[in-house]
Amino acid sequence: MRKILPETPLSPTAVLDTLQKMSADDIDWRRGRTPLYVFKTSGEVQQTARAAFNMYFDENALGARRAFASIQRMEADIVDIGLSLFNAPAEGAGFVTTGGTESIICAVKAARTASGEGKSERRRNLVVPETAHPAFRKAAELLCLEERRVPVAADYKADPAALADACDDDTIMIVASAPCFPYGVIDPIGEIGDFARSRGLWLHVDACVGGYLAPFARELGRDIPPFDFAVPGVISISADLHKYGYTPKPASTIFYRSADFAKLQRFDYPDCWPSGFYGTATIAGSRPGGAVAGAWATLHSLGHPGYLSATKELLDIVDGYIAGLKAIPGISIVGDPQLANIAFTHSDADMGRVATLLSERGWLSGMLSRPKALHLMMSFVHGIAREDYLRDVRECVAEVLRGSAAKSQEAIY
Ligand SMILES: *Cc1c(COP(=O)(O)O)cnc(C)c1O
């Protein structure tokens, strides 16, 4: 039967008890049982962010300009911090959004506007490596563009020559990732940037997953190639706060080399409706003030030293997993992941079956389809789970090699 509003409202205790009971069926993320969806910092920073979120529980970031100067101020600070991290020139500009998908749609909209409405009777297109996030396809569908997916090189990085070949007069944007989600590798953005500049093309760097990790990884001595505005051809960058910025959801950022590019993503509706001028910088209308406050609080509570030490701790966890996985006979890491997204496969065992056996032990598996592999987007919750995970992977692989009849799971995000 379809649910209706209860005639007898639930008491506060009943509400919370019910939620508690319902969550019993959820994945045990606090013990590191999911390879995606959740990120978390240390207790104190988390608590501060939560308090800040709740302080702005009721405020609407849509009203930042007219009603909530504090939210406008927080957004300006968040954007400035990102522009500094990504080596933006003085004219750089950006916005806070509700997620990577929205940041990407905004950038595609800006590039589409830049290309001139009606410039060509033919359908305009985006050229992206096959490893680019599906949000580009979503943006293309929404904005009536064609999306061209181009195979990557043997090291799973975008192939600049193949991208160049796929471009034509109707191309309005090319995309590179830092890193891509599936293989965790950073595309050769320097080379792609040269090509983009020589052809006058808009290059967007999707640093949704790596943006708030890569600068600190580099500072810690990791080999991180130039991926941001330091590369002259880069016009826009998306970077998610609610991933390795460790902020509460929903929060992401979108940046542009100049305010002139940035303003192309705006929607302004000057007349037409009886309530007068309506304008938003991003796709969403009403937005949670709490997410902005939570992001501001996290950035300021961690500060530069906090992000550095968080990155060090995280990369140590990743290294620990990689070493432990490689020690299992037959297992190899897919490609050469540069940050915290890793995938591994086995020379003989069907990883789809391994995933099913792991799920019977309470582990949700991320997967790749090419090659069939298990995938992890690592975060702090995985630290304590390492020994259990490695043991279970070892045992499940052995079971599959002994001829387990477990169903072979297909890759799903
Ligand atoms: C997560 C992710 C996105 C999309 O972000 P959402 O916040 O889930 O909308 C885009 N690109 C990459 C590389 C990502 O990892």
Side-chain angles (χ1 to χ4, degrees):
M1 212 172 56
R2 177 182 286 160
K3 181 131 188 163
I4 56 167
L5 273 172
E7 286 306 333
T8 318
L10 296 182
S11 69
T13 333
V15 167
L16 299 179
D17 284 352
T18 308
L19 292 180
Q20 192 72 48
K21 287 205 192 82
M22 290 197 319
S23 73
D25 294 334
D26 292 350
I27 195 84
D28 191 359
W29 64 266
R30 290 177 184 80
R31 288 173 59 234
R33 265 52 178 172
T34 174
L36 63 176
Y37 307 131
V38 185
F39 298 80
K40 192 169 168 286
T41 42
S42 70
E44 199 182 311
V45 175
Q46 172 92 343
Q47 275 167 26
T48 311
R50 202 177 274 235
F53 194 106
N54 283 335
M55 192 182 285
Y56 281 84
F57 187 85
D58 296 303
E59 279 80 354
N60 186 345
L62 174 62
R65 197 139 47 138
R66 300 193 62 220
F68 309 114
S70 61
I71 295 181
Q72 194 176 26
R73 165 90 197 277
M74 287 187 275
E75 291 196 330
D77 286 348
I78 293 167
V79 167
D80 273 351
I81 289 171
L83 290 169
S84 306
L85 275 177
F86 301 133
N87 296 301
E91 328 66 90
F95 304 99
V96 178
T97 71
T98 57
T101 301
E102 187 181 11
S103 293
I104 287 167
I105 295 171
C106 286
V108 175
K109 176 186 183 291
R112 181 173 172 274
T113 309
S115 76
E117 301 288 332
K119 166 194 169 201
S120 160
E121 290 306 308
R122 295 187 302 263
R123 200 157 168 235
R124 283 165 285 169
N125 65 72
L126 310 179
V127 172
V128 313
E130 61 179 325
T131 48
H133 194 276
F136 291 98
R137 174 64 62 107
K138 188 184 271 185
E141 283 196 13
L142 288 168
L143 296 162
C144 300
L145 301 166
E146 177 194 346
E147 189 221 43
R148 297 181 178 170
R149 294 224 154 212
V150 175
V152 293
D155 58 5
Y156 301 108
K157 293 178 185 170
D159 175 350
L163 286 174
D165 280 350
C167 291
D168 59 23
D169 290 348
D170 298 317
T171 302
I172 61 157
M173 175 187 269
I174 51 177
V175 172
S177 308
C180 68
F181 181 83
Y183 306 104
V185 293
I186 299 175
D187 291 331
I189 290 162
E191 249 179 278
I192 299 170
D194 287 344
F195 156 72
R197 257 205 338 163
S198 71
R199 293 270 294 260
L201 282 168
W202 182 303
L203 170 58
H204 177 82
V205 171
D206 182 14
C208 275
V209 70
Y212 290 96
L213 200 50
F216 307 107
R218 178 185 288 146
E219 251 189 274
L220 291 165
R222 300 270 172 154
D223 183 18
I224 305 293
F227 69 93
D228 59 20
F229 292 114
V231 177
V234 173
I235 303 294
S236 53
I237 299 177
S238 47
D240 287 352
L241 289 162
H242 63 205
K243 286 176 183 158
Y244 296 107
Y246 308 114
T247 76
K249 288 172 269 291
S252 172
T253 40
I254 175 74
F255 303 103
Y256 296 87
R257 179 168 287 282
S258 76
D260 284 342
F261 287 124
K263 70 171 193 269
L264 300 174
Q265 78 163 56
R266 286 195 59 88
F267 171 78
D268 288 317
Y269 198 42
D271 9 79
C272 301
W273 90 322
S275 280
F277 175 89
Y278 178 96
T280 57
T282 59
I283 310 292
S286 293
R287 292 183 290 126
V292 177
W296 194 94
T298 307
L299 291 167
H300 287 79
S301 304
L302 281 170
H304 180 241
Y307 278 100
L308 262 190
S309 62
T311 303
K312 167 141 191 14
E313 193 186 328
L314 179 71
L315 294 179
D316 285 346
I317 292 173
V318 175
D319 289 347
Y321 269 71
I322 289 180
L325 288 166
K326 279 183 172 167
I328 300 174
I331 283 190
S332 59
I333 302 295
V334 178
D336 190 10
Q338 287 162 289
L339 290 163
N341 280 27
I342 64 171
F344 61 97
T345 187
H346 190 280
S347 48
D348 304 307
D350 172 357
M351 296 312 275
R353 290 190 208 281
V354 175
T356 299
L357 292 175
L358 281 169
S359 70
E360 288 164 10
R361 298 180 183 216
W363 302 97
L364 183 70
S365 290
M367 288 189 69
L368 297 185
S369 54
R370 302 188 291 271
K372 203 156 183 183
L374 297 195
H375 182 269
L376 297 162
M377 173 161 59
M378 313 266 337
S379 67
F380 295 109
V381 291
H382 296 112
I384 51 160
R386 177 172 174 267
E387 293 314 314
D388 287 353
Y389 186 69
L390 294 174
R391 183 203 57 228
D392 284 349
V393 168
R394 190 187 292 270
E395 291 178 6
C396 292
V397 162
E399 216 173 309
V400 169
L401 292 176
R402 282 197 303 272
S404 156
K407 184 172 158 290
S408 184
Q409 214 164 292
E410 295 299 323
I412 177 171
Y413 177 78

